[in-house]
Amino acid sequence: MAIMPTTSTPTSPQADQPIPYTLTEPTDTPTAVGSQASPLHALTVAHNLRLVTADGPNAAALTTAILVDGNTLIVPAGQDPATTFAQASEALARRTTVCPDGHAWCTGNPRDHSDPREHVHSSPEHTASGHYGKDILGFHLTQLDDDQPRLAFVGDGSWAELDLEQTDQLIADLTKHLAKLKATRNQLAALTQKPAEPGTWTITLHGGGQITGHQPTWCTEQHDAHDLDPDRVRLALTDLTHVTYFDGMPIKVHVPGHAADGKAGLYEENVLGGNITANPYSDTPARRQPVVNLEVVENFWMENLGPDQLADVVAKLRQQADRLDHVHAQLVQARAEWAAQQ
């Protein structure tokens, strides 16, 4: 069996189901793939692979060979056989045994399905590894025959099987634990990292004299001034603002009419960026000590947030992120249900 046919018949896409490219059946002529046909042909025979080539006006959408349905390898049009052989070998190495009971999430480990009286279904295991340890905090889905699926989690060296409510409790506890870990990390940084030396800013006055003040280590602005008219001192001090900036998260959003060009469409907006500021001579008392100013989206700000207020915002954002995790799971389930009805 070979790839890259000289003649082929494209398959027809299903109605109302667009695909990025059509597939073409290859010829069985070894010369169709040149001198590298032999190892590729041997690989396809050994693993019972069916090779098809991407074709059609959108064939460029496929840039690497992919293995689908266990034994069909879709190959980019015009790809050389040596590259296809390497990609096919890598794809086969990643291929898992299909679960005989049809559970898409199960790895199909033959050892767990060999007993005709009971089958143990398991998803791939996820663990964390690093300098702190190897393969810790492991978890995976598990199911015995037709029982309710459970989450298998290892924390103290033994595996516990959790239902959905218990899994939610585990996530909540680990979230709190992570917050404590971050706080302890900050303590460690404060104990082990040499803090930068605070500086001073200086304003020299026309005719003699100067004013100096504290320059925070985190401030990225310079406030020195020379030969300032004494009549402008009050204005200069009122405007003196220590500041450091932090980036927001770029997210593409649809807007009906963008301010820049008046055209509707997708635009990238920075969400939840902002700054830390302190204006020691402000007429507003809340601004005379460091505060956070948070730009939710462009031109919409939450201003003068102290530590407790910012912590409240962070907690609410985490709650919303957890809610979106549940929405994501609902969406995956809805997509699967939808696909099954098409």
Side-chain angles (χ1 to χ4, degrees), residues 229-249:
D229 189 327
D231 293 337
R232 298 183 58 83
V233 168
R234 178 176 175 79
L235 179 60
L237 293 179
T238 302
D239 289 342
L240 191 150
T241 302
H242 302 297
V243 63
T244 186
Y245 300 92
F246 55 88
D247 294 331
M249 178 64 63

Side-chain angles (χ1 to χ4, degrees), residues 101 103 117-121 143-147:
D101 297 321
H103 294 296
R117 295 169 298 177
E118 64 177 22
H119 286 176
V120 179
H121 305 291
Q143 180 182 11
L144 179 62
D145 288 331
D146 294 327
D147 291 350

Side-chain angles (χ1 to χ4, degrees), residues 77-337:
Q79 180 165 278
D80 66 275
T83 301
T84 299
F85 176 83
Q87 294 174 353
S89 300
E90 182 179 357
L92 286 168
R94 296 194 304 264
R95 184 173 64 177
T96 58
T97 306
V98 177
C99 173
D101 297 321
H103 294 296
W105 53 269
C106 177
T107 60
N109 189 326
R111 180 186 60 191
D112 296 333
H113 297 75
S114 59
D115 190 338
R117 295 169 298 177
E118 64 177 22
H119 286 176
V120 179
H121 305 291
S122 298
S123 70
E125 183 178 328
H126 303 279
T127 61
S129 295
H131 292 295
Y132 45 81
K134 179 176 175 59
D135 296 333
I136 68 171
L137 299 177
F139 63 90
H140 64 88
L141 291 178
T142 185
Q143 180 182 11
L144 179 62
D145 288 331
D146 294 327
D147 291 350
Q148 191 77 5
R150 314 269 289 186
L151 177 81
F153 175 80
V154 60
D156 60 359
S158 60
W159 287 89
E161 294 188 0
L162 312 177
D163 60 22
L164 183 59
E165 182 179 353
Q166 293 167 331
T167 300
D168 288 339
Q169 184 60 53
L170 173 65
I171 293 172
D173 291 343
L174 288 179
T175 299
K176 296 177 183 177
H177 192 65
L178 178 60
K180 295 176 182 178
L181 177 60
K182 289 180 177 179
T184 305
R185 177 266 171 206
N186 292 337
Q187 287 180 310
L188 178 63
L191 292 171
T192 59
Q193 294 179 348
K194 183 179 179 181
E197 293 293 333
T200 58
W201 51 264
T202 301
I203 298 176
T204 61
L205 304 177
H206 180 72
Q210 65 180 24
I211 303 172
T212 61
H214 169 69
Q215 175 78 3
T217 56
W218 48 266
C219 179
T220 58
E221 300 290 332
Q222 296 296 323
H223 304 294
D224 292 338
H226 303 282
D227 202 30
L228 182 69
D229 189 327
D231 293 337
R232 298 183 58 83
V233 168
R234 178 176 175 79
L235 179 60
L237 293 179
T238 302
D239 289 342
L240 191 150
T241 302
H242 302 297
V243 63
T244 186
Y245 300 92
F246 55 88
D247 294 331
M249 178 64 63
I251 296 179
K252 288 187 176 180
V253 297
H254 184 273
V255 293
H258 195 264
D261 53 21
K263 296 180 180 178
L266 282 175
Y267 294 88
E268 188 171 86
E269 298 284 353
N270 282 310
V271 177
L272 298 175
N275 54 63
I276 300 176
T277 62
N279 186 337
Y281 302 98
S282 173
D283 293 332
T284 304
R287 297 178 180 176
R288 295 174 189 166
Q289 56 185 334
V291 294
V292 160
N293 302 296
L294 197 60
E295 189 175 28
V296 182
V297 292
E298 186 177 3
N299 297 326
F300 287 85
W301 290 82
M302 301 175 69
E303 295 185 324
N304 304 326
L305 300 177
D308 292 342
Q309 294 166 308
L310 181 60
D312 182 61
V313 173
V314 171
K316 290 178 179 177
L317 290 175
R318 286 203 176 101
Q319 290 175 2
Q320 183 64 14
D322 290 341
R323 185 175 292 115
L324 289 176
D325 281 336
H326 290 294
V327 173
H328 176 266
Q330 288 179 302
L331 177 60
V332 171
Q333 183 177 359
R335 282 287 186 97
E337 179 184 320

